[in-house]
Amino acid sequence: MEGTYPRESGDNQVTIKNIERELVCPACKELYVHPLILPCQHNICHKCVKELLYLTEDSTDVSSESSTPGSPRVRVQSPSVERLDRLVRSGSKRNSLTPKVTSFACPGCLHDVDLGERGINGLFRNFTLETIVERYRQAARAATAIMCDYCKPPAQESTKSCMDCNASFCNECFKINHPWGTVKAQHEYVGPTTQFRPKVLMCPEHEMEKVNMYCEICRRPVCHLCKLSGTHANHRVTTMSTAYKTLKEKLTKGISYLISKESQVKNQISELELLIKQTEGNGDRAKEEATYSFEKLYNILEERKSFVLKSIENSKGSRLEKLKYQMEEYQGLLENNGLVGYAQEVLKETDHSCFVQIAKQLQTRIQKASESLKTFRPAAQSGFEEYIIDVEKEEDMLNDIAFSKSLAMPEINTDECTMYNKARICWNEPGNSNPADSYVLEFRKLDKNEELLWKEVETSSTSKVISDLDLNSSYCFRVKGYRGSTSSPYSKEVILKTPPAPVFDFLFDDKCGYNKEHLVLSAQRDTVESMAGMSLLLGAERVQVGCYTCLDYIIGDTGITKGRHFWAFSIDPHSYLVKVGVTSDIKLQEWLHNPRDISSPRYDQDSGHDSGSEDISYDSSQPFTLATIGMKKFLIPKSNVACAGTERVLPLPTCIGVCLDYDKGKVGFYDAINMKCLYERDVDCTGTMYPAFALLGGGNIHLEEFITTKHLDYSPEI
């Protein structure tokens, strides 16, 4: 039942819509009638409480009787609602109506509730809920009018009900019975109703006392006697006005929060509707596939049945043919029949030449017939034991027909996933699970201001490339497998973040400053390796005190003149010393034309103290802005502050990212797996900026695969 119904006469109105489930008693599944508030804060009809208590008492009596030795097992029927009503109307004594048992399972939460010594009499009546139910009933029977209680026949339709007079009035009768300037004019009135509640809520434990406090421990209204000497003496209580204000604020905030999340609720409802449709479709497909599977078995059985029956029939016909032929031959051995009769007729021949002509052949046949009598053997067996079908194994197999093992939950492999302008999401199946035929990868952007639905893409492999992702954003991914109509559970959700700037594509430059004696480039120019060869050893051999050797520098083959750019690479954990960052073409030219002799032992930048001022002066004189990596550590210069803390020595990330903001003169260094900034610093962006790298001793740098997609043969479906 839906619609907008008046709450009371006047301007105040409230919309009652789709609240049926809140107005239905969990016990009788009907609209509440005189609802009571249980200690667990759930509501239940007054009648239903009594019925539940009687049911509990009857079941206890039955169990106690059945446990008595020798007592017959009797079944006591539950008291019906009609019986309870008759008991109530009959005016029986209160003790006879009050059940002995005071605890039962709440039908709303299924937890046991104990009503205490007072039982039902200790429960509050929920007048607010009762009013809402009555308002709902009125809306449901809008065509049925409530008539005026004071009109002379014929009565007029009432327009309002007085809560003090407990009666309904038409406009004229209300004016007559509530004259202006009298006490009755101050009576409270509402829209037409048949449910009247008392003006003041009385304490159920002290029936003559009004409730004027609220117990915060028991979460229920109490009177001053309850606080002074009752069960709430040691409980924390507050005034009713304070409780009203506090609870109303909480309820208002809760309602406001739910209203503010209306779009999220609608999205989740849409998702549930989609799941319902998928469940219906998958269920129908599962039934169709099961029917198809059994029909296949039926067809196979029918084919085998036809084949077996035909084989038995052919064998039967062949055997009968042989036996009948043999029987005919033996019948010919009888007198005056067949061979014997023919031989007897031949004996009557008197012409010697004619007799001799056929006697020899006939003698041979007679001799064979005589021998067959001595070694009688049927031409065929009558038994068909070899055609008995043994179906015991097949019966067991058919009895064991069951649903196939459900698909195991796939697991997204974050170590193999990469997240740039494109995301490559990889996942694995558990080792002993059945493989899926296809997968559905779902993803959505995480945005506080937007509640976005999941997007999905299908694939038959265990990886998928997603394009058109927003920069500097977090995305949530999950995947599930399908085989026929069955599907696996969703994998655990994984959150990955896109880089802060567009991906910059480049390869290592094999010309500018490239030292072929110390560095080795791969054929694709995406990997560079530092080789600690003989030349490095000879250079160190000439130094008597300390060992100061030059770094081998290499830059990218593409420059940057504006905008923000991001690139990523991995460094071999066993690399001794690697520096990564950016360089300017202007400073690079100055450096190449006027190199400083840092191979000399006289050139020592470190004075021994840890002030950081030497780092600043040294950095300003260098053409490169670099971060130092070595011995599985990421080192932050003293003069810089890390984005995520003040630690100078960090564990080496699996993948390192560099973000250059040319326009703002900023360079940041990132853990490229989770896009976490390790530290950021200013950089002088004059001229063209290039990605820069430096190696000392053994080391290896590899540009990430997505960075080189424009240069290498790279398939969008990996």
Side-chain angles (χ1 to χ4, degrees):
M1 302 175 186
E2 300 179 1
T4 302
Y5 310 117
R7 180 180 180 183
E8 59 185 41
S9 59
D11 297 332
N12 296 329
Q13 290 187 345
V14 67
T15 300
I16 301 180
K17 187 177 183 181
N18 294 330
I19 60 172
E20 292 91 338
R21 66 182 294 179
E22 300 294 333
L23 309 181
V24 173
C25 173
C28 63
K29 307 302 180 185
E30 300 291 340
L31 291 176
Y32 284 108
V33 177
H34 304 308
L36 302 178
I37 305 176
L38 296 176
C40 60
Q41 302 303 307
H42 288 104
N43 296 285
I44 187 171
C45 295
H46 183 270
K47 254 190 321 189
C48 295
V49 177
K50 287 189 175 183
E51 183 177 6
L52 287 173
L53 289 174
Y54 274 110
L55 288 173
T56 306
E57 182 179 355
D58 288 345
S59 62
T60 305
D61 293 341
V62 171
S63 61
S64 62
E65 289 178 9
S66 62
S67 62
T68 305
S71 63
R73 209 168 172 75
V74 285
R75 182 183 177 192
V76 180
Q77 291 193 359
S78 304
S80 63
V81 178
E82 290 77 8
R83 176 191 166 195
L84 293 172
D85 288 340
R86 287 197 302 271
L87 289 172
V88 174
R89 289 195 298 268
S90 63
S92 300
K93 293 182 180 179
R94 179 173 177 177
N95 292 337
S96 65
L97 286 176
T98 304
K100 302 174 185 177
V101 180
T102 60
S103 64
F104 60 92
C106 170
C109 62
L110 302 182
H111 289 95
D112 289 337
V113 292
D114 191 352
L115 304 185
E117 296 179 358
R118 292 180 57 81
I120 298 176
N121 297 321
L123 298 177
F124 276 106
R125 186 171 164 186
N126 194 336
F127 291 109
T128 302
L129 177 59
E130 196 170 333
T131 301
I132 297 174
V133 170
E134 176 57 25
R135 196 183 311 144
Y136 189 84
R137 290 181 188 274
Q138 292 179 20
R141 57 172 186 263
T144 305
I146 298 176
M147 309 310 292
C148 177
D149 295 326
Y150 284 80
C151 276
K152 295 180 180 180
Q156 300 293 318
E157 182 178 344
S158 64
T159 57
K160 51 180 70 71
S161 295
C162 179
M163 303 304 291
D164 295 274
C165 301
N166 291 345
S168 298
F169 299 88
C170 64
N171 286 332
E172 294 299 326
C173 291
F174 185 82
K175 293 177 182 178
I176 295 172
N177 289 274
H178 297 80
W180 182 259
T182 64
V183 177
K184 285 189 174 183
Q186 306 299 320
H187 284 185
E188 179 186 358
Y189 61 91
V190 295
T193 181
T194 58
Q195 298 292 324
F196 300 95
R197 66 180 186 182
K199 292 283 292 181
V200 180
L201 194 62
M202 308 301 290
C203 177
E205 296 186 15
H206 307 92
E207 298 179 355
M208 301 304 295
E209 298 294 332
K210 301 177 183 179
V211 293
N212 53 6
M213 289 181 284
Y214 182 79
C215 178
E216 296 181 355
I217 305 299
C218 302
R219 296 183 299 177
R220 60 179 294 173
V222 296
C223 69
H224 70 283
L225 293 180
C226 294
K227 175 59 179 172
L228 291 176
S229 59
T231 56
H232 306 272
N234 298 322
H235 292 182
R236 185 174 65 252
V237 298
T238 183
T239 63
M240 192 63 69
S241 59
T242 303
Y244 171 82
K245 183 179 179 181
T246 302
L247 293 176
K248 189 168 186 178
E249 286 179 357
K250 289 183 179 180
L251 184 59
T252 303
K253 288 181 181 179
I255 295 173
S256 300
Y257 176 80
L258 292 177
I259 293 174
S260 67
K261 295 294 180 180
E262 185 175 358
S263 60
Q264 179 180 351
V265 173
K266 288 181 179 179
N267 290 338
Q268 292 173 350
I269 291 174
S270 300
E271 188 172 345
L272 290 173
E273 290 176 346
L274 179 61
L275 287 175
I276 291 173
K277 291 181 181 179
Q278 291 177 347
T279 302
E280 292 175 346
N282 291 337
D284 293 339
R285 281 194 295 272
K287 288 175 62 178
E288 291 175 0
E289 291 187 4
T291 303
Y292 175 71
S293 298
F294 279 102
E295 286 179 350
K296 283 175 63 179
L297 292 177
Y298 297 153
N299 294 334
I300 293 173
L301 288 174
E302 286 294 333
E303 291 178 1
R304 296 301 297 171
K305 177 183 176 181
S306 300
F307 171 77
V308 170
L309 293 179
K310 186 176 181 181
S311 299
I312 295 174
E313 189 65 30
N314 291 339
S315 178
K316 172 186 172 184
S318 175
R319 294 183 188 192
L320 289 175
E321 185 178 352
K322 292 178 180 179
L323 290 172
K324 287 178 180 179
Y325 178 77
Q326 187 179 22
M327 186 178 68
E328 290 176 358
E329 286 187 341
Y330 275 85
Q331 285 176 346
L333 301 180
L334 299 175
E335 186 178 3
N336 299 322
N337 286 322
L339 180 62
V340 174
Y342 176 64
Q344 289 174 341
E345 292 297 324
V346 171
L347 288 175
K348 295 177 181 180
E349 178 62 48
T350 56
D351 189 323
H352 292 184
S353 58
C354 291
F355 179 81
V356 171
Q357 183 180 10
I358 61 173
K360 182 60 179 176
Q361 181 183 9
L362 187 58
Q363 174 61 28
T364 302
R365 293 179 61 189
I366 293 293
Q367 187 177 357
K368 287 183 178 180
S370 300
E371 292 177 355
S372 66
L373 290 175
K374 298 176 183 178
T375 58
F376 174 73
R377 181 177 297 173
Q381 297 295 327
S382 62
F384 282 79
E385 290 80 5
E386 66 271 26
Y387 287 94
I388 294 177
I389 305 298
D390 182 12
V391 295
E392 183 177 355
K393 181 179 178 181
E394 286 72 14
E395 283 180 355
D396 293 338
M397 293 177 62
L398 289 174
N399 288 329
D400 291 338
I401 288 179
F403 299 110
S404 61
K405 292 182 179 179
S406 59
L407 295 175
M409 179 178 68
E411 182 179 357
I412 296 179
N413 190 340
T414 54
D415 293 335
E416 296 182 7
C417 294
T418 51
M419 189 77 168
Y420 299 103
N421 294 69
K422 296 180 180 179
R424 182 179 64 183
I425 308 301
C426 305
W427 55 90
N428 301 324
E429 291 283 1
N432 299 326
S433 65
N434 296 324
D437 298 331
S438 61
Y439 300 90
V440 172
L441 174 64
E442 297 186 0
F443 64 97
R444 64 186 178 94
K445 182 180 177 182
L446 300 180
D447 193 327
K448 295 181 180 179
N449 299 324
E450 298 181 18
E451 301 294 341
L452 301 178
L453 293 176
W454 291 91
K455 297 180 181 179
E456 59 181 40
V457 290
E458 296 184 10
T459 180
S460 58
S461 64
T462 55
S463 64
K464 185 65 177 178
V465 175
I466 308 296
S467 303
D468 301 325
L469 300 178
D470 296 335
L471 295 173
N472 200 24
S473 301
S474 296
Y475 284 84
C476 187
F477 295 88
R478 66 184 184 186
V479 65
K480 69 188 305 184
Y482 286 88
R483 187 174 67 245
S485 62
T486 61
S487 63
S488 71
Y490 280 109
S491 66
K492 292 183 178 178
E493 296 180 2
V494 172
I495 297 176
L496 300 175
K497 190 174 181 180
T498 54
V503 171
F504 180 61
D505 295 333
F506 68 93
L507 294 175
F508 289 118
D509 191 348
D510 57 356
K511 298 179 178 60
C512 181
Y514 174 60
N515 189 338
K516 295 182 180 180
E517 295 182 358
H518 296 170
L519 301 179
V520 177
L521 271 177
S522 63
Q524 294 83 7
R525 292 193 291 124
D526 63 340
T527 301
V528 61
E529 184 175 4
S530 173
M531 304 296 292
M534 183 59 68
S535 59
L536 183 61
L537 181 62
L538 293 175
E541 190 269 339
R542 294 193 296 268
V543 180
Q544 299 298 322
V545 181
C547 181
Y548 297 84
T549 56
C550 292
L551 291 168
D552 295 309
Y553 292 95
I554 188 169
I555 64 174
D557 63 352
T558 307
I560 299 171
T561 57
K562 62 179 179 179
R564 301 178 74 235
H565 303 273
F566 180 89
W567 59 92
F569 47 86
S570 58
I571 295 176
D572 189 333
H574 300 288
S575 300
Y576 177 68
L577 177 62
V578 175
K579 288 179 175 283
V580 297
V582 294
T583 184
S584 165
D585 62 338
I586 298 175
K587 289 190 175 182
L588 185 61
Q589 291 296 329
E590 294 177 357
W591 177 269
L592 293 175
H593 286 89
N594 301 298
R596 303 184 69 172
D597 185 13
I598 63 170
S599 63
S600 170
R602 295 188 300 272
Y603 184 77
D604 189 356
Q605 288 287 340
D606 196 350
S607 64
H609 61 82
D610 193 20
S611 65
S613 59
E614 293 170 352
D615 290 336
I616 299 174
S617 62
Y618 178 71
D619 289 342
S620 62
S621 65
Q622 302 302 307
F624 300 92
T625 302
L626 303 172
T628 304
I629 297 163
M631 302 177 67
K632 301 182 182 180
K633 302 295 181 183
F634 185 94
L635 307 177
I636 297 176
K638 303 172 189 176
S639 57
N640 293 277
V641 179
C643 295
T646 57
E647 291 290 334
R648 284 199 58 209
V649 181
L650 304 175
L652 176 64
T654 305
C655 184
I656 299 174
V658 177
C659 180
L660 175 65
D661 190 332
Y662 187 95
D663 301 330
K664 293 184 178 180
K666 296 279 186 180
V667 61
F669 297 87
Y670 288 77
D671 180 344
I673 298 300
N674 53 27
M675 294 301 165
K676 179 182 178 182
C677 179
L678 302 177
Y679 91 95
E680 188 180 65
R681 61 177 294 173
D682 296 330
V683 62
D684 183 14
C685 293
T686 55
T688 303
M689 304 297 291
Y690 292 88
F693 306 86
L695 300 94
L696 175 63
N700 181 289
I701 303 174
H702 175 71
L703 299 179
E704 280 301 296
E705 185 176 13
F706 267 78
I707 307 258
T708 59
T709 53
K710 292 185 179 179
H711 301 273
L712 303 180
D713 184 15
Y714 177 80
S715 173
E717 293 291 337
I718 299 174

